[in-house]
Amino acid sequence: MNMPRSVQRDVSAPRLTSGPQQARRRPGGDGRRGRPRSAMSACLAIAIVSLAAAVCAPSALADFGVQEFSGEVLNRDGTPATQAGAHPFSASTTIKFNSHDVNGQPVPDADVRDITVDLPAGFIGNPNATPKCPQQELYTSDQLDCSPATQVGWAQFGLTDYLPLFNIYSKVYSMEPPEGVPAQFAMNLTGLIVVLNAQVRDDGTYGLTINVPNISQLVGIVETRLTFWGVPADRAHDEYRGICLTTNIGPIGIQCPTDVPRRAFLTNPSNCDAGPLTTSLRASPWADRSIVARGSFDHDVRGNAMEVENCDVVPFEASLDARPVSQVAGAPSGYVFDVNIPQDDNPDGLATAPMKKAVVKLPEGVRVSPSAAGGLEGCADEEFRLRSAGDARCSDGSKVGTLRIDTPLLSRPLDGSIYLGRPLPGQLLRIFLVARGQGVTVKIPGSVNPDPNTGQLSAIFDNNPQLPFSNLHLEFKGGPRASLSNPPVQGTYTTVTELTSWSGKTVTSNSTFNITQGPRSLVFAPKLTAGSTDSKAGKSTGLSFKLGFSRTDGDEEFNGLTVNMPKGLLARLAGRTLCSEAQAAAGTCGEGSRVGSVTTAAGAGTNPFALPGRVYIGGPYKGAPFGLSIVVPAVAGPFDLGTVVVRAAIHVDPITTELRIVSDPLPRILEGIPLQIRLVDVSIDQPNFMINPTSCAVMNVAAQLSSTLGKIANVANRFRATDCALLPFRPRMRLTVGDRTHTRGGDSTPVSATLNMPVGNANNRAVQVILPKTLAARLEVLNVRKACTFEQFKAERCPINVGSAVAVTPVLRDPLKGSVYLVRHPARRLPDVMVALKGQGDAKALSIDVTGKVTIPRDLRIRTTFDTVPDAPITMFRLNFRTGRNAPIAAVDNLCTARARRESIAELAFVAQSGKRASARQRINIAGCRGTSSGRRAAGRRGRRSEASNRAR
């Protein structure tokens, strides 16, 4: 059966019609026919001798090509060597170039210059199987030969100048390679040296390529047959070794043994799934290197498919050892990984199959440390250059470790670097391994897949080179910026690895290490820092409020927090644009709603990575009148994990106006990367936004922090304003009763109280109003049985109201408005006066309740005491009691009498949050009486209406 072949010429290359050729001659001058020094002189000589000048037509170069390219890999008995992983007896190849006949002698169409042969991936030669011949020995030896111990094969050449055609034999030696060449072989061809450089391809297959460069034009090669020995020191090759193989005759029938140990030089692939294995060839002539002739074969000369079989019997034993450099729990640490694959150098056995895939599952608790992100970069694919010639061009900023590969094919290890690959969609963590040495550069990509819920890491390196190695040593950087952090507590941890060979066999390797320092169990004792940048009471201008909480590596991670602010520490919402719910949820609030900044530090160790962010104020959230949107772009080094938005509800105590901030759970893991949040610093620093209390009482900023494991920590920071005595306190109240129809004795009468506070004053803590005896309580209205319950009041289901109220505060853009109700109190005989104030506009979800205690002592004067006034700046507060059936107050006598006006004096008492007091006897303004300006106006209106009525009648 004829062997299928594929031979072709690159038709895209230009065809030359003529070109100079270097003269060939027989080295040593043995009297054989020589060749002319150029193509033109050769044609002239042949034309004179044979009268056939046409045979040297200038177009001969255009026919340069490979007529035959074939080969075979054999066992000792001459059968095809198809056992996977075996060391064949020999591997041979034949190359025949296109030629034409001149005077009965074949002449190549063009002199070949370079030959490149790509061997199948996995078919390897070990240059360390024999000693190596020094370069000077081949070139300067009197015998023009190297030591027989360095011989790895032999070759036959069909040269134009020799008849019969195949009459030149040459020995193939393993040479000491020059720098940058992993292995070199050479032949002494009748005094001319032919060099074969072995290289590892960088096309991703890492198969071996043999380059034969700059073949001398002094020999015209028509055909060549090259044989490499599987075990060079095998006695079966002795008749082709050393002086036993002569240049012109070949083997002369004697034995030339060598005393070097038998070691395998050739090894079959271990991959039985590859199908027929293809060997390909490229050749170029001297006249024009752009012309490329090609050939390939995947069947041997007998027509047998060149493939391997029985991969299941190829041995593969491998293990992985993983260990941290530091044994401190929770700390960043360098990590060392060693993949060990013992190699079998028995030339009569099967080689160990190369590793195809490694899946390494690290113990849960070994995590990517965000602390590593500081200054970290990522290597792009175009910088890694996986399938491009030459070294990678990754930056030092992307280097995360070093590596070393020990291989039996090279006399020295390959050294290299571990780089962090730039993330791709769906591939956040990528690792690039680059090792180099002795002219070999190996580039291996890998992916690291973190569990999205736990962060447990699994690394995968697939389709690794089909090259043997005994040890792969990976060492990731340590120190505060280490890429990995240890499990958080002491213990024994196991790395589970699955290693799969190219022969299809998978082995599992478990490696344990101990964490012996640090906590044996996690605690939760976080720290809190909080306070205003200026403690001056009532301060607003230039004031910032800062709050921070932190934990150590030995603490459980944060889940959420609730912060109770001191009474009177408020925020000025007037002038702020509240962020909409949709924007707050998406983290896209505008600058008009920004109120502060935040810094989040994430990662283990002493140098967690800081991420800046912003704080925005929004409208109602989770039942609270206001909310915060804390927005942190999660960009760390080359990683962009998107925008993290943490929401928080701002509750306002309806009695004290204390702020209580309740956060949603803090993010713990993003795309499988545990954040390990160590510190959160919030600064509410928008100008004139925060307002200090006007009370100098000792208070606390109290926080309740929860952990991801359910623990609760209550922490507090002392808070106290200063210089309260410097605040002025000048409250002013105006009281008005009556109107044109409600001044008679026994009638209900309206009562209006307006309190004005100058800006910059201390806020009120208590206000008491004692009405004069000219006013009396309507007991049928104040009857406690008719008052609503507190539950009804909170549910806004009180059946009647007794008045209305409005409050103006610089904290809000719009005033607070509401109704006044009588609400039962179990400890008091009379119901309380409760004012239910509601926010307007953006603050419509805000509710503030003001409570007045009503007492009527023996002197029958109505006393109303508001002793729980919140420490909030109220520039104006007006309370109006209604008239009619539900009116709470009536006139005792006619209010328009001189005596009533004279006796209508209220007693006022004020207590400031700062402790200052003020009191006054305030004459009540009586409206609707004739003779007073208000009375005259009312009488005039009554007269005009009466006159109009009479006219109508």
Side-chain angles (χ1 to χ4, degrees):
M1 179 177 180
N2 294 328
M3 177 195 72
R5 300 182 182 88
S6 173
V7 292
Q8 63 181 10
R9 179 182 178 278
D10 193 336
V11 297
S12 64
R15 297 191 175 194
L16 298 187
T17 58
S18 63
Q21 296 286 320
Q22 182 179 346
R24 298 186 180 91
R25 61 180 176 84
R26 169 78 169 103
D30 61 353
R32 289 185 180 267
R33 182 172 63 251
R35 293 193 67 191
R37 292 187 173 272
S38 67
M40 186 174 295
S41 62
C43 288
L44 180 59
I46 296 174
I48 293 173
V49 174
S50 63
L51 301 178
V55 300
C56 278
S59 61
L61 178 61
D63 296 323
F64 174 79
V66 178
Q67 179 181 341
E68 177 185 344
F69 179 52
S70 60
E72 58 185 355
V73 180
L74 301 177
N75 293 314
R76 186 184 297 268
D77 60 3
T79 59
T82 59
Q83 172 59 54
H87 307 299
F89 180 74
S90 65
S92 302
T93 184
T94 297
I95 306 171
K96 181 183 293 186
F97 296 101
N98 290 345
S99 63
H100 56 277
D101 188 78
V102 177
N103 289 337
Q105 179 174 333
V107 175
D109 288 347
D111 290 328
V112 64
R113 175 173 179 168
D114 301 317
I115 299 174
T116 299
V117 176
D118 293 331
L119 300 177
F123 187 80
I124 60 173
N126 182 2
N128 294 320
T130 65
K132 294 182 177 62
C133 177
Q135 295 284 337
Q136 65 273 16
E137 186 172 323
L138 182 66
Y139 285 90
T140 63
S141 171
D142 292 339
Q143 300 298 322
L144 294 176
D145 261 340
C146 295
S147 165
T150 65
Q151 188 176 345
V152 293
W154 59 279
Q156 277 182 287
F157 287 90
L159 305 181
T160 299
D161 291 337
Y162 288 83
L163 289 175
L165 183 63
F166 266 97
N167 199 30
I168 301 299
Y169 293 81
S170 179
K171 294 172 279 290
V172 182
Y173 299 105
S174 178
M175 306 299 297
E176 289 184 354
E179 191 66 30
V181 177
Q184 187 180 80
F185 308 97
M187 295 177 285
N188 185 341
L189 186 60
T190 65
L192 298 176
I193 305 302
V194 178
V195 173
L196 295 80
N197 292 322
Q199 296 177 318
V200 177
R201 292 196 295 276
D202 49 20
D203 59 356
T205 68
Y206 293 98
L208 298 183
T209 291
I210 306 297
N211 291 313
V212 188
N214 298 318
I215 301 170
S216 176
Q217 290 182 278
L218 296 179
V219 292
I221 300 178
V222 176
E223 188 172 353
T224 178
R225 296 172 184 170
L226 175 66
T227 298
F228 279 111
W229 296 328
V231 181
D234 196 300
R235 294 294 303 271
H237 304 306
D238 286 352
E239 64 174 320
Y240 286 84
R241 197 189 319 276
I243 62 172
C244 293
L245 182 72
T246 63
T247 301
N248 298 325
I249 301 175
I252 58 177
I254 63 173
Q255 302 292 309
C256 294
T258 179
D259 57 358
V260 297
R262 292 176 71 253
R263 296 184 64 187
F265 173 58
L266 300 178
T267 301
N268 273 349
S270 296
N271 180 17
C272 291
D273 298 326
L277 304 173
T278 299
T279 302
S280 60
L281 173 144
R282 300 180 301 280
S284 298
W286 274 96
D288 186 354
R289 297 185 74 177
S290 64
I291 295 177
V292 179
R294 301 177 186 275
S296 65
F297 64 86
D298 56 12
H299 287 64
D300 64 18
V301 295
R302 299 175 179 85
N304 301 306
M306 301 195 72
E307 53 190 358
V308 294
E309 57 188 357
N310 301 323
C311 283
D312 57 317
V313 301
V314 179
F316 180 69
E317 296 297 330
S319 64
L320 180 137
D321 177 65
R323 59 193 183 280
V325 175
S326 168
Q327 278 73 48
V328 179
S333 176
Y335 268 74
V336 177
F337 300 89
D338 279 286
V339 181
N340 298 297
I341 304 178
Q343 298 297 316
D344 186 353
D345 60 358
N346 178 10
D348 300 318
L350 299 181
T352 300
M355 183 182 73
K356 178 182 181 182
K357 182 178 181 180
V359 179
V360 182
K361 192 170 187 178
L362 295 177
E364 189 169 343
V366 177
R367 298 175 287 188
V368 173
S369 175
S371 302
L376 188 63
E377 300 173 7
C379 183
D381 287 58
E382 55 269 23
E383 296 170 323
F384 182 46
R385 306 198 302 168
L386 175 59
R387 290 177 173 83
S388 300
D391 203 353
R393 296 174 180 171
C394 301
S395 67
D396 287 341
S398 62
K399 183 177 178 179
V400 295
T402 59
L403 67 93
R404 187 188 67 243
I405 301 176
D406 293 315
T407 170
L409 303 185
L410 299 174
S411 56
R412 298 189 303 273
L414 298 174
D415 293 311
S417 301
I418 308 171
Y419 296 102
L420 178 68
R422 190 171 298 173
L424 295 177
Q427 283 188 295
L428 180 66
L429 297 175
R430 300 194 299 155
I431 295 293
F432 294 158
L433 307 182
V434 182
R436 58 192 74 83
Q438 294 183 241
V440 177
T441 299
V442 177
K443 290 174 278 190
I444 304 173
S447 63
V448 180
N449 303 319
D451 185 282
N453 298 312
T454 66
Q456 186 173 11
L457 300 174
S458 295
I460 301 175
F461 294 88
D462 201 359
N463 290 313
N464 295 299
Q466 296 184 56
L467 299 173
F469 68 86
S470 57
N471 175 260
L472 169 61
H473 178 83
L474 304 176
E475 194 163 329
F476 286 84
K477 288 181 180 178
R481 298 292 189 193
S483 301
L484 299 173
S485 62
N486 283 338
V489 295
Q490 291 188 39
T492 299
Y493 297 89
T494 300
T495 300
V496 179
T497 306
E498 286 188 353
L499 303 169
T500 302
S501 71
W502 279 98
S503 65
K505 184 178 181 180
T506 297
V507 297
T508 300
S509 173
N510 291 343
S511 172
T512 61
F513 62 83
N514 295 314
I515 298 297
T516 59
Q517 302 175 44
R520 295 181 181 276
S521 61
L522 293 177
V523 297
F524 191 58
K527 307 296 182 185
L528 176 74
T529 58
S532 298
T533 55
D534 189 333
S535 62
K536 188 175 181 180
K539 178 77 173 179
S540 177
T541 303
L543 180 71
S544 297
F545 177 79
K546 296 183 181 297
L547 180 141
F549 52 96
S550 61
R551 67 174 186 87
T552 67
D553 288 330
D555 285 302
E556 295 177 9
E557 295 183 36
F558 291 120
N559 181 53
L561 76 156
T562 297
V563 180
N564 293 303
M565 304 288 275
K567 295 178 183 179
L569 185 63
L570 301 175
R572 191 192 304 269
L573 298 180
R576 294 286 100 193
T577 300
L578 297 185
C579 183
S580 69
E581 171 61 23
Q583 289 177 311
T588 57
C589 299
E591 187 63 21
S593 60
R594 188 173 76 86
V595 296
S597 57
V598 62
T599 298
T600 301
T606 58
N607 294 94
F609 184 74
L611 290 167
R614 293 189 168 193
V615 182
Y616 300 89
I617 187 77
Y621 182 65
K622 288 191 173 181
F626 307 106
L628 293 176
S629 178
I630 303 169
V631 180
V632 179
V635 179
F639 304 112
D640 186 348
L641 305 181
T643 299
V644 177
V645 180
V646 177
R647 305 290 300 280
I650 304 177
H651 298 270
V652 181
D653 189 284
I655 305 298
T656 66
T657 68
E658 285 179 274
L659 302 181
R660 181 169 60 93
I661 303 167
V662 181
S663 80
D664 287 350
L666 304 183
R668 178 176 173 269
I669 190 168
L670 289 178
E671 295 192 35
I673 305 298
L675 299 181
Q676 298 173 268
I677 294 175
R678 296 281 304 281
L679 175 144
V680 177
D681 272 335
V682 179
S683 177
I684 307 300
D685 52 14
Q686 278 297 93
N688 301 320
F689 183 70
M690 296 301 297
I691 305 173
N692 269 348
T694 61
S695 168
C696 287
V698 176
M699 293 179 281
N700 286 313
V701 179
Q704 185 180 79
L705 294 156
S706 62
S707 77
T708 54
L709 298 181
K711 290 183 181 177
I712 300 295
N714 293 298
V715 290
N717 251 84
R718 186 177 182 270
F719 184 94
R720 185 178 187 182
T722 60
D723 298 332
C724 288
L726 300 180
L727 292 174
F729 185 59
R730 300 185 184 91
R732 297 191 302 272
M733 180 175 283
R734 178 180 174 82
L735 293 168
T736 300
V737 299
D739 61 22
R740 63 184 178 81
T741 60
H742 295 89
T743 57
R744 294 180 302 177
D747 284 354
S748 64
T749 186
V751 177
S752 175
T754 302
L755 174 64
N756 291 282
M757 294 294 299
V759 175
N761 274 228
N763 299 324
N764 283 289
R765 186 176 72 199
V767 177
Q768 185 181 68
V769 178
I770 303 177
L771 296 178
K773 290 183 178 182
T774 56
L775 300 172
R778 298 184 71 218
L779 295 180
E780 66 272 24
V781 176
L782 265 67
N783 189 319
V784 71
R785 291 193 300 273
K786 294 185 178 181
C788 67
T789 65
F790 185 74
E791 289 72 20
Q792 288 176 309
F793 174 78
K794 294 302 294 182
E796 301 183 4
R797 294 201 310 269
C798 285
I800 60 174
N801 68 68
V802 297
S804 62
V806 61
V808 176
T809 171
V811 170
L812 301 174
R813 183 183 62 190
D814 301 307
L816 294 159
K817 298 179 180 179
S819 299
V820 183
Y821 303 94
L822 297 176
V823 181
R824 301 175 198 167
H825 192 286
R828 291 188 278 273
R829 297 176 59 188
L830 293 176
D832 292 337
V833 174
M834 295 197 69
V835 182
L837 293 171
K838 300 291 184 182
Q840 307 299 308
D842 287 343
K844 62 184 178 182
L846 179 63
S847 297
I848 301 296
D849 300 333
V850 180
T851 303
K853 300 172 184 176
V854 180
T855 59
I856 304 177
R858 291 183 178 181
D859 60 5
L860 301 181
R861 299 173 67 186
I862 303 173
R863 299 170 184 249
T864 305
T865 304
F866 296 88
D867 58 1
T868 58
V869 179
D871 190 358
I874 303 293
T875 55
M876 190 279 289
F877 177 78
R878 180 182 293 119
L879 177 65
N880 296 316
F881 286 111
R882 63 182 301 177
T883 60
R885 186 178 62 179
N886 294 324
I889 298 175
V892 175
D893 296 313
N894 190 334
L895 294 176
C896 293
T897 65
R899 182 178 67 83
R901 290 197 297 270
R902 184 173 62 250
E903 293 180 355
S904 293
I905 297 175
E907 295 183 11
L908 308 176
F910 305 91
V911 180
Q913 294 284 347
S914 63
K916 289 185 177 181
R917 294 176 179 271
S919 61
R921 287 174 57 81
Q922 180 71 43
R923 184 177 296 279
I924 298 178
N925 178 49
I926 300 175
C929 295
R930 294 179 181 180
T932 64
S933 58
S934 60
R936 286 193 295 271
R937 288 193 297 271
R941 289 192 295 270
R942 286 197 302 271
R944 287 191 293 272
R945 285 196 294 270
S946 177
E947 185 177 292
S949 176
N950 289 334
R951 284 197 302 268
R953 285 196 295 269

